[in-house]
């Protein structure tokens, strides 16, 4: 793992805030990648890393993806990410106290960074952080927030899957299609319900086999063992759990026509996108298709949108994806490169008015 100064030297973000939290034996990293279009927004990930530098590197990468995600979604926010690198995922009072200190750190940044939930953090954690700072999205409805964004995220992915089906097969009809969902958590299970509800056959994989079985039973699908994803045939493979699932190796092996899921940072290496393209597999760039949570939370909590306006914005994810697919064909590049080009274009256009 490279040293901190090397990581910072190579990163193109604005600022990294570091706090060593001895009381919880944790490292806190807040990466403000860009405030070009507004304050930096992005979730807080709590995770055990091999080293603290790995946590910083994760925050850097994820914050850059947030900049592109929020720009492509045309929200008035830049990109950021918080990582709490712990030696053990804390619970109870220790967790509360850590989140309070984290909230104080966010508050001290005066709104430059605004958090929400991510891996291993949820609505209750946002409520706790919200006891120390106003710069938090996704508190529970009881605490005045719009709650867990898993459902709008899944709905956005579902719109993206339909747009991808249209692109690949000339029809967005789910009937007769097989959708392989990796991850039976909040987003994956809801996506399974949407796809199953429109007639798709759902196959579901999770490291927790019991959780996968419960979702499969609910939607009339079947379970694929978590280590058999590469062998499973499907029209759509929807990664909705860990990142880094697309490597040159897996991209050469996957047996699907479309990759379209909610996980962040799906590409372990950019070449994987070129391999998918060469194999005729349509890849829905992660940060385009998974923007539904950000769209719903920012829309409802900050922009005063109605439910109907949120629904319309979620449906636009499909439209944006189709524009990405068109651009990929015109430029003869991978869909990932086409999405980056769209993000760059939005980032070099005049910034939207400051509303936050
Ligand atoms: N944490 C979610 C994401 O990474 C949603 C979100 C982002 C909410 C930014 C508000 C602001 O997309």
């Amino acid at each position: 793992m490279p040293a901190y100064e090397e990581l910072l030297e190579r990163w193109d973000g604005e600022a990294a805030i570091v706090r060593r939290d001895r009381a919880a034996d944790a490292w806190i990293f807040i990466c403000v990648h860009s405030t070009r279009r507004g304050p930096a927004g992005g979730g807080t990930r709590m995770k055990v890393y091999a080293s603290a530098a790995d946590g910083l590197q994760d925050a850097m990468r994820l914050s850059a993806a947030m900049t592109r995600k929020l720009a492509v979604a045309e929200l008035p926010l830049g990109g950021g990410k918080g990582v709490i690198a712990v030696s053990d995922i804390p619970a109870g009072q220790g967790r509360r106290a850590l989140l309070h200190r984290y909230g104080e750190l966010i508050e001290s940044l005066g709104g430059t960074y605004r958090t929400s939930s991510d891996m291993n953090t949820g609505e209750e954690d946002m409520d706790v952080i919200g006891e120390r700072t106003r710069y938090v999205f996704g508190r529970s409805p009881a605490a005045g927030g719009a709650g867990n964004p898993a459902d709008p995220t899944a709905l956005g992915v579902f719109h993206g899957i339909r747009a991808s089906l249209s692109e690949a097969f000339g029809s967005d009809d789910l009937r007769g299609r097989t959708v392989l969902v990796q991850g039976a958590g909040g987003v994956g299970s809801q996506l399974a319900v949407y796809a199953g509800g429109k007639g798709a056959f759902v196959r579901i994989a999770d490291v927790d086999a019991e959780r996968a079985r419960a979702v499969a039973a609910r939607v009339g699908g079947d379970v694929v063992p978590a280590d058999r994803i590469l062998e499973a045939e499907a029209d759509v493979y929807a990664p909705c759990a860990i990142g880094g699932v697309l490597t040159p190796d897996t991209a050469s092996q996957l047996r699907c026509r479309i990759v379209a899921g909610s996980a962040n940072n799906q590409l372990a290496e950019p070449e994987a996108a070129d391999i998918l393209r060469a194999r005729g597999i349509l890849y829905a760039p992660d940060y385009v298709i998974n923007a539904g949570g950000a769209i719903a939370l920012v829309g409802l909590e900050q922009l005063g949108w109605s439910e109907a306006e949120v629904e319309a914005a979620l449906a636009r994810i499909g439209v944006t994806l189709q524009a990405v697919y068109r651009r990929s064909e015109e430029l003869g590049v991978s869909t990932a490169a086409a999405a980056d080009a769209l993000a760059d274009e939005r980032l070099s256009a005049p910034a939207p008015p400051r509303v936050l």
Side-chain angles (χ1 to χ4, degrees):
M1 175 52 50
Y4 287 113
E5 54 266 47
E6 202 184 320
L7 288 177
L8 288 160
E9 188 64 49
R10 282 203 310 241
W11 185 54
D12 64 347
E14 291 176 14
I17 294 97
V18 179
R19 174 180 168 143
R20 170 69 173 137
D21 189 289
R22 280 198 186 74
D25 188 24
W27 288 84
I28 295 171
F29 302 107
I30 294 177
C31 286
V32 174
H33 179 262
S34 168
T35 54
R36 167 91 183 82
R37 293 175 48 86
T44 296
R45 171 168 293 201
M46 191 184 282
K47 199 176 155 182
V48 180
Y49 291 91
S51 74
D54 283 293
L56 172 61
Q57 191 171 36
D58 210 19
M60 287 175 160
R61 262 199 298 251
L62 290 161
S63 68
M66 286 308 303
T67 297
R68 293 194 283 265
K69 180 191 301 199
L70 294 161
V72 167
E74 299 192 278
L75 293 169
L77 285 173
K81 203 82 187 184
V83 159
I84 307 181
V86 287
S87 47
D88 258 314
I89 301 289
Q93 270 314 312
R95 185 180 181 104
R96 276 184 68 80
L98 172 60
L99 292 174
H100 278 156
R101 294 190 293 274
Y102 179 63
E104 282 157 19
L105 179 60
I106 292 175
E107 183 65 22
S108 78
L109 301 176
T112 299
Y113 170 66
R114 310 190 181 206
T115 196
S116 60
S117 54
D118 192 80
M119 185 185 288
N120 289 324
T121 62
E123 188 175 298
E124 316 74 53
D125 298 312
M126 297 308 111
D127 286 353
V128 176
I129 293 170
E131 289 166 7
R132 292 292 186 272
T133 181
R134 66 208 109 141
Y135 305 118
V136 54
F137 293 101
R139 282 169 298 150
S140 66
N148 181 344
D151 185 53
T153 305
L155 187 52
V157 172
F158 184 62
H159 284 298
I161 286 176
R162 296 197 90 142
S164 306
L165 287 170
S166 283
E167 180 75 15
F169 298 110
S171 158
D172 69 355
D173 197 344
L174 269 294
R175 283 171 303 176
R177 298 287 170 208
T178 299
V179 179
L180 169 62
V181 181
Q182 179 181 26
V187 179
S189 58
Q190 196 52 42
L191 177 62
V193 170
Y194 285 127
K198 290 290 181 199
F201 182 71
V202 175
R203 316 198 68 190
I204 185 136
D206 196 287
V207 283
D208 179 344
E210 201 38 60
R211 206 157 73 147
R213 264 195 292 278
V215 174
R218 187 164 161 216
V219 301
D222 71 0
V223 172
V224 171
D227 56 358
R228 292 284 167 77
I229 292 280
L230 293 175
E231 294 144 53
E233 259 178 68
D235 295 301
V236 181
Y237 163 46
C240 298
I242 47 164
V245 291
L246 302 174
T247 65
D249 229 37
T250 63
S252 320
Q253 290 178 52
L254 280 169
R255 298 167 71 181
C256 58
R257 178 68 178 83
I258 293 166
V259 176
S262 68
N264 277 317
N265 287 13
Q266 291 173 33
L267 291 166
E269 286 151 66
E271 304 79 65
D274 299 310
I275 296 171
L276 291 174
R277 176 164 188 268
R279 292 188 63 215
I281 297 176
L282 187 65
Y283 168 58
D286 46 14
Y287 64 79
V288 180
I289 196 171
N290 74 12
I295 289 169
L297 292 189
V298 177
L300 291 171
E301 295 184 2
Q302 295 286 333
L303 303 177
W305 288 0
S306 65
E307 291 288 346
E309 286 170 298
V310 172
E311 300 259 321
L314 294 177
R316 279 199 296 276
I317 289 178
V319 179
T320 305
L321 262 181
Q322 276 176 325
V324 167
Y325 294 151
R326 212 154 308 127
R327 194 180 281 238
S328 144
E329 280 194 1
E330 280 162 16
L331 302 176
V333 298
S334 71
T335 54
D340 287 351
L342 176 61
D344 287 346
E345 201 174 285
R346 299 239 160 114
L347 284 160
S348 53
R354 290 270 154 156
V355 289
L356 302 180

